Amino acid sequence: LEEADGRKIGESLALVLATTLTSKHAIDEWSLQYPAINELTREYLWLRPMLEVITFNLIGEVRWGVKARVAVGAFISMLDLA
């Protein structure tokens, strides 16, 4: 991978965090989108737990992520009523 690939992969984590409910699910989704993440987490066993802790803290601290998850949840609930 090139540096530009690393930036693209890293920047995509923000969107994944905004659209998932848990840190574990965020890392699962992110690694499905980018197989290089799976390779790294298999090679470095400490990496996945570290990423889960980082994403857990980010999900709790970033207000727009909370708002997005609430809005998506409300929207889906409204669709269920229809």
Side-chain angles (χ1 to χ4, degrees):
L1 293 174
E2 299 293 324
E3 182 178 343
D5 297 322
R7 288 190 185 280
K8 178 183 174 187
I9 292 170
E11 289 171 354
S12 71
L13 181 57
L15 180 60
V16 172
L17 287 174
T19 58
T20 55
L21 296 175
T22 67
S23 59
K24 184 177 183 333
H25 184 237
I27 299 301
D28 288 342
E29 181 67 29
W30 192 46
S31 61
L32 287 174
Q33 291 178 7
Y34 299 99
I37 300 300
N38 275 331
E39 291 178 32
L40 288 170
T41 56
R42 271 187 259 122
E43 185 175 346
Y44 303 103
L45 298 177
W46 53 267
L47 183 60
R48 186 175 188 88
M50 183 185 78
L51 290 171
E52 288 177 3
V53 169
I54 291 170
T55 56
F56 178 81
N57 289 329
L58 286 173
I59 286 172
E61 291 177 5
V62 178
R63 294 281 181 217
W64 60 265
V66 173
K67 290 178 184 177
R69 286 189 295 281
V70 169
V72 168
F75 179 73
I76 290 171
S77 294
M78 297 288 281
L79 287 177
D80 285 344
L81 294 174

